[in-house]
Every structure is written in structure tokens, then in C-alpha cells.
Amino acid sequence: MIMKKIYLLFMSFLIIPACCVPAEARLYIAEPVLVSQPSYAGMRFYVYKPYNMPEGWYATFDGYPVYKNKDGVWVYGTYAGPNLIPTHYVVGSVVPSMAGLVPYMNPVQISSVSNTPQLVSQPPLITAGKLPSQSTYMPDWLFNGRFMALGRWKDSVDRIGVLHRVNIPVAWRGNSPKVIYAWNGHSWHQMLAREGQRPARVLRNNLYTLTRQVKQHGFIWYEADMPVLSQQAAQWGYYWMGEVMPR
């Protein structure tokens, strides 16, 4: 009989109407869910579902809104007035605060619920040649017609990033593309992929060739180029992949 009363008391707490719950209690977040990011082989991270998050949206451990789009890619969200809309920033490609994204909720509130780290694995951020800080920086490739032609190749490109260490832009379409493009400083070098072959494997197989081409053309990628290219990717409607690791 005593156990029955305890059980009924416990259940009464679970069905208290939302209007009766103090504001602090509304920070409740469901158990974290470990999800995979198909854009990066082996990358996984945790997402949460705050009580008032719109349908289909989740929050990362550091409080940023994320959304799994029709291509199965997890992207960050931004605000259009009071509404959340997906961006072209792929989760794992940028530091969201540096990309100008706004958290959905305070990360301190989330960390108080769970000590689970946000990313189980994540591609490192690129470090390349550095330029002195300038009020306005315009890379040479922005004025190069051959480079900018990439924006018209929507039938074969829907994502763009920068190849690790070689430090050159690379682009392709989908998780199993037919061709991958790499900017060698003079033109977009094309690399054919076998059916089912992932972009990272194709890039790894072509590292030597790409490195030689970059040296031949004297191309230098600067750290300041990264945010410019990420913004250009958004203008083209391409996913921004950040640094791409050849594997």
C-alpha cells in the first residue's frame, strides 16, 4: 500500500501541466542522442531536444541549433526574424561563434544537464599562411573567372571545402560523387571517382599530384581566405565543409 502511494505521488509530478512548472524547470532537455555526420567519415556528435525547439530542430552541447536536411547532412541554423532556418554551414566545418551564428540556448544550461562532450570526433580547423589584419580582405581568386565558374556547376557540385595540409579549395556533389574538383591555383583539376568511393579516399589517392600542381603554380592559401570562401559557398548555395581530411 505504501509503495502504491509513492508510485502515485511520483506519477503526479510527471503530469503537472506546463503552466504550473516554474520557468527554471522549462530548461529540461531530453537525453542526448548520438548522431552521425555523413559529410565526415567517422564523425559523431550529441544533440538534444529542448522542450520548445521547433519540429526537426535540435541543439548541440554548446547550445547551437542544428537541423538534418533532406540530404541527411547536419547543418547549423540561424534566425530569420523569430524563425529558425538552415544555413549551409555543415556541423563540424566551422566554429559557430566565429561564423556569426547565435546559440539557441545558454550552453551553461545544457552542460548542467549532461557532461557529455558535443563532438566525439571532429575535423581540425585549418591553419595556413596568415595575413595581417585588414578592414577588408579580398582574395585574388574572387576576381578569377576560372575559379568563380564553380558557382555555375550546380549539376556536379553542391559542397565545397579546403583540403587539409595542401590548403586548396575542393568541391564535389553528394557523398559518392562521380568527379571531385580541386583548385590548383590555375584551374579546377578534375579527379574521377569509382562508384561508391568517398571523396576523402579520392583526395588521398591524389595528394601527390595536387601537391605538385600547387607548387608549380605557386598558389598560397591564407587563413583569411577561409571565412571569405565560406560566405561565397553560401551565396552559391553550396554546403560549406570547412577543412576536408583525406583518408
Side-chain angles (χ1 to χ4, degrees), residues 47-181:
V47 295
Y48 305 81
K49 185 72 172 179
Y51 86 99
N52 58 351
M53 203 80 172
E55 182 67 26
W57 287 90
Y58 295 83
T60 59
F61 184 72
D62 49 358
Y64 289 91
V66 293
Y67 181 82
K68 188 175 184 180
N69 62 24
K70 60 182 177 60
D71 296 320
V73 177
W74 286 92
V75 296
Y76 285 109
T78 189
Y79 288 93
N83 302 317
L84 279 172
I85 60 172
T87 70
H88 284 84
Y89 289 116
V90 175
V91 176
S93 69
V94 295
V95 176
S97 59
M98 296 179 65
L101 301 175
V102 179
Y104 182 79
M105 60 190 303
N106 193 321
V108 175
Q109 297 167 351
I110 296 180
S111 61
S112 66
V113 177
S114 172
N115 292 322
T116 308
Q118 178 200 7
L119 294 179
V120 176
S121 58
Q122 177 184 23
L125 297 176
I126 195 166
T127 54
K130 294 185 177 180
L131 286 174
S133 59
Q134 302 176 22
S135 57
T136 302
Y137 171 63
M138 304 290 283
D140 292 341
W141 46 262
L142 271 179
F143 307 96
N144 189 318
R146 292 182 178 178
F147 184 96
M148 298 300 288
L150 185 74
R152 301 191 296 270
W153 300 351
K154 299 188 186 302
D155 290 338
S156 55
V157 171
D158 70 350
R159 55 201 72 189
I160 184 171
V162 176
L163 183 59
H164 177 64
R165 291 190 178 178
V166 184
N167 294 333
I168 56 174
V170 291
W172 65 91
R173 184 176 185 83
N175 293 324
S176 299
K178 296 180 179 179
V179 61
I180 299 175
Y181 302 92

Side-chain angles (χ1 to χ4, degrees), residues 232-246:
Q232 186 60 57
Q235 291 181 25
W236 283 335
Y238 297 160
Y239 296 129
W240 172 243
M241 305 300 296
E243 187 174 20
V244 179
M245 303 294 293

